[in-house]
Amino acid sequence: METAIECRQVSKRYPDVFPVQSVDLIVRKGEAAAISGESGSGKSTLLRLIAGLESPQSGQIFLMGREWGAREPLFCRGIAMVFQEPALWNHMTVGQNIMFGMQGKNKKQKKEFAIHLMEQLCIETLWRRYPYEISGGQAKRVSLARACGTERPILLFDEPLTNLDEESKEYALTFLKREYKNTHTILYVTHTLEETEGLCDSWYEMNQGNLTRRR
């Protein structure tokens, strides 16, 4: 099976911390992988390195067989990412936020797809609202819809469901399992491994910058 994400001996060091130490990772195309670990273990830094938001001191990162070095935008890498914080644009409505990254669609198609995503996540009533008019949990689901709406082949999730109530988590995870499992490559960082049950095929643990496969 074709490799979608590959890290070879990737390291990242800051003056007072060494969050990623000689990490090797392979995620196959269409596979969903989870990375768990304590706060400060380096899992979010690794995700940012793969996304191109940080540059490694050493090692190689390959996406869909192509090596990436210097920082290049997420969309160039075929990646969409959901951050711990929603990072929505306050000057855009919820609908506009979700449609923003869509490519290859006309305005009508973008709206129809955005509405579909919102219905799946039970946020369809928020279409005309602005980010400052919705709750934090709703904003997280909007961020999820925006990333998925790009239809990029690789989806990175950095603890996307933290602080969501159980019902909202269930909506989001059911949506990902139904519409994106096996069709997209998913790398999902989480504190709560149980959250990824039924979604992720493999599990890695990050501990003090070291990554170990557990399943």
Side-chain angles (χ1 to χ4, degrees):
M1 187 181 294
E2 185 180 355
T3 298
I5 302 170
E6 182 176 3
C7 297
R8 298 180 187 173
Q9 293 290 292
V10 170
S11 295
K12 178 68 176 181
R13 184 192 290 272
Y14 299 107
D16 56 347
V17 67
F18 196 179
V20 178
Q21 302 181 34
S22 301
V23 162
D24 290 315
L25 170 68
I26 291 179
V27 183
R28 307 293 182 185
K29 185 177 180 181
E31 180 184 359
I35 300 177
S36 65
E38 298 295 326
S39 294
S41 62
K43 55 191 188 302
S44 293
T45 301
L46 178 60
L47 217 61
R48 291 176 63 85
L49 290 169
I50 294 169
L53 301 173
E54 302 274 356
S55 296
Q57 257 88 31
S58 61
Q60 298 169 288
I61 295 173
F62 297 84
L63 301 173
M64 306 305 288
R66 175 182 169 184
E67 183 178 2
W68 296 83
R71 298 179 189 181
E72 296 186 55
L74 286 162
F75 65 86
C76 290
R77 297 178 175 230
I79 285 175
M81 184 169 177
V82 180
F83 299 90
Q84 293 180 29
E85 297 301 323
L88 302 177
W89 291 287
N90 281 321
H91 66 288
M92 294 183 182
T93 65
V94 165
Q96 289 170 333
N97 264 280
I98 294 172
M99 292 191 295
F100 180 79
M102 293 183 186
Q103 303 293 324
K105 290 181 172 63
N106 59 37
K107 187 175 181 179
K108 181 174 180 292
Q109 290 170 329
K110 288 181 179 181
K111 184 173 182 178
E112 288 175 348
F113 189 34
I115 290 172
H116 166 73
L117 294 171
M118 294 176 74
E119 288 174 345
Q120 300 305 306
L121 293 164
C122 297
I123 52 173
E124 65 272 19
T125 60
L126 306 181
W127 180 266
R128 295 185 184 279
R129 295 192 193 179
Y130 286 87
Y132 54 82
E133 298 176 315
I134 64 178
S135 71
Q138 289 170 331
K140 281 182 174 288
R141 282 183 278 167
V142 172
S143 179
L144 184 62
R146 181 177 64 180
C148 291
T150 65
E151 297 188 290
R152 290 174 194 146
I154 298 174
L155 299 174
L156 305 182
F157 297 104
D158 190 1
E159 300 182 44
L161 307 183
T162 302
N163 298 326
L164 283 188
D165 61 77
E166 290 305 312
E167 185 179 31
S168 297
K169 282 185 180 180
E170 186 60 32
Y171 285 140
L173 289 171
T174 298
F175 163 70
L176 289 174
K177 292 171 192 174
R178 183 178 58 246
E179 303 209 14
Y180 292 90
K181 183 175 172 61
N182 300 322
T183 60
H184 288 65
T185 303
I186 293 172
L187 189 55
Y188 194 110
V189 160
T190 180
H191 273 300
T192 310
L193 193 63
E194 293 78 11
E195 184 175 286
T196 67
E197 187 175 352
L199 173 64
C200 291
D201 310 294
S202 55
W203 165 41
Y204 295 82
E205 186 176 25
M206 199 89 178
N207 183 24
Q208 296 183 341
N210 297 293
L211 187 70
T212 304
R213 181 162 184 159
R214 299 300 187 190
R215 186 181 70 218

